[in-house]
Amino acid sequence: DESSSDNSSDNNAEATDGTEETEEADSSGETKTIRAGIGLNEDHPQYKGLLKFKEIVEEKTDGAIVVETYASGQLGDDRTMTEALQLGSQEVTIPSTAPLANFVPEYSIFDFPFLFPDEETADAVLDGEVGQKFLDMLEDQNLVGLAYWENGFRDLTNSKREVATAEDFEGLKIRTMENDLHLDAFRALGANPTPMAFTELFTAMQQGTVDGQENPVATIYLEKFYEVQDYVSSTHHVYSPFVFLMSKEFYDGLTDEQQTIVRDAALEAGKYERKLNREANEKYVEDLQNEGMTYTEITPEARQEMVDIIQPVLDEYTEKIGEDLVQEVYDAIDEASK
Ligand code: TK8
């Protein structure tokens, strides 16, 4: 059909232009291997997205690049795997933006509570100029950000009591991601936050080291948090993007054609992952209730009270990140929400 003939002519054009590269790759003959590790388990859309990435890359490079996939933190937690990419001992990981703030402090903006009003706005901003500006900031850290995937809107769970208003956070021992803004925001609400890698979270809840945590309902359900948590509140307090990261050393070692293939594959697999993630959200809420969790709606008034309490923390981080950059993000959000 039209596209394949175009494609083949492109390939010929590519092959002709890039004969050298192609021959070079062929002459070296070695297959390049991508060790791709994530923290969530194989049931989560993040893993299904990674399998889609694998399928596209192996098909498009005709096996010149092989992707090995490791779920459930087999290769470590987000920070450890991100450091492995910097060292060149792993090629791909897809962390939430929150732990990336330890590598690029400006990433804390993504954890401003209630920053993105909905998924469509998040997509428009992340897939546009502003999103690319943040991906470019990763280069100095020996990392290449190829695409944004979706973790989602985060909700609070705990094993102590229903949380319906800001007052209910008082004294709750909440695990947060390793991100100072999350810690400061939960402290402002009166909670007692502890930063912890995702790989230790289930055990910490099981042993009562923490009373609660916050994650999108997909994670709460698919990681079986209902086995150790009794209450879930629709706080939707942060929209967490995932960032598809590749080791810069590995990326720079690819041919131009292979770089285009992995970049396009990360983008295409990301759109597929976002779709899967959103399709099931309603279902997860019902599933959690069927597993015995009490679901508490947060009213707009209660949410506004939380926003007001957290505002001083956001003012402080706006200083740290830089007023202009924060304003640029808010302008992009306004533009996208029109
Ligand atoms: C999984 C994490 C998880 C994140 C967290 O590796 O740490 O709570 O929301 O999705 O990235």
Side-chain angles (χ1 to χ4, degrees), residues 38-40 78 95-96 151 154 175 177 198 214-216 219 242:
I38 58 171
L40 296 176
D78 285 359
S96 299
N151 195 350
R154 308 180 73 86
R175 172 269 178 177
M177 293 185 282
F198 185 78
E214 39 85 58
N215 253 290
T219 297
F242 282 135

Side-chain angles (χ1 to χ4, degrees), residues 129-301:
E129 233 172 272
V130 164
Q132 187 54 51
K133 187 168 199 168
F134 280 87
L135 294 180
D136 293 345
M137 292 176 196
L138 294 162
E139 300 260 328
D140 293 350
Q141 293 296 319
N142 244 350
L143 300 165
V144 179
L146 292 178
Y148 290 97
W149 289 19
E150 177 170 275
N151 195 350
F153 280 99
R154 308 180 73 86
D155 289 331
L156 178 82
T157 67
N158 84 91
S159 57
K160 290 282 185 237
R161 57 177 175 265
E162 276 200 82
V163 172
T165 64
E167 287 67 46
D168 298 330
F169 282 85
E170 189 57 40
L172 279 181
K173 289 183 293 183
I174 304 288
R175 172 269 178 177
T176 69
M177 293 185 282
E178 294 157 293
N179 175 290
D180 291 344
L181 194 153
H182 271 257
L183 284 170
D184 292 342
F186 275 104
R187 279 193 195 107
L189 285 166
N192 177 5
T194 308
M196 184 186 294
F198 185 78
T199 44
E200 274 121 66
L201 174 54
F202 192 92
T203 307
M205 293 188 289
Q206 206 165 30
Q207 294 173 349
T209 318
V210 295
D211 300 325
Q213 64 85 48
E214 39 85 58
N215 253 290
V217 286
T219 297
I220 299 167
Y221 181 71
L222 296 169
E223 297 281 343
K224 298 189 178 358
F225 286 1
Y226 49 80
E227 290 177 354
V228 289
Q229 298 280 272
D230 306 315
Y231 304 98
V232 52
S233 305
S234 66
T235 48
H236 269 41
H237 50 278
V238 161
Y239 173 86
S240 265
F242 282 135
V243 182
F244 190 104
L245 294 179
M246 183 168 279
S247 140
K248 190 170 183 316
E249 181 188 324
F250 180 79
Y251 182 79
D252 290 347
L254 297 177
T255 64
D256 290 353
E257 185 188 12
Q258 289 172 336
Q259 287 181 351
T260 304
I261 288 170
V262 297
R263 186 175 293 277
D264 291 349
L267 284 166
E268 185 181 339
K271 292 196 178 355
Y272 170 72
E273 188 267 347
R274 282 169 170 170
K275 184 169 167 295
L276 283 186
N277 209 38
R278 288 163 195 175
E279 267 164 9
N281 270 345
E282 299 311 312
K283 176 181 164 307
Y284 290 136
V285 171
E286 203 180 307
D287 292 346
L288 290 172
Q289 290 170 306
N290 293 341
E291 293 294 345
M293 289 192 87
T294 301
Y295 187 77
T296 306
E297 283 289 340
I298 300 288
T299 64
E301 298 73 28

Side-chain angles (χ1 to χ4, degrees), residues 53-70:
F53 171 78
K54 171 185 172 69
E55 178 194 318
I56 298 168
V57 168
E58 291 180 352
E59 194 259 322
K60 288 262 174 80
T61 64
D62 203 13
I65 298 180
V66 169
V67 181
E68 293 171 0
T69 61
Y70 300 90

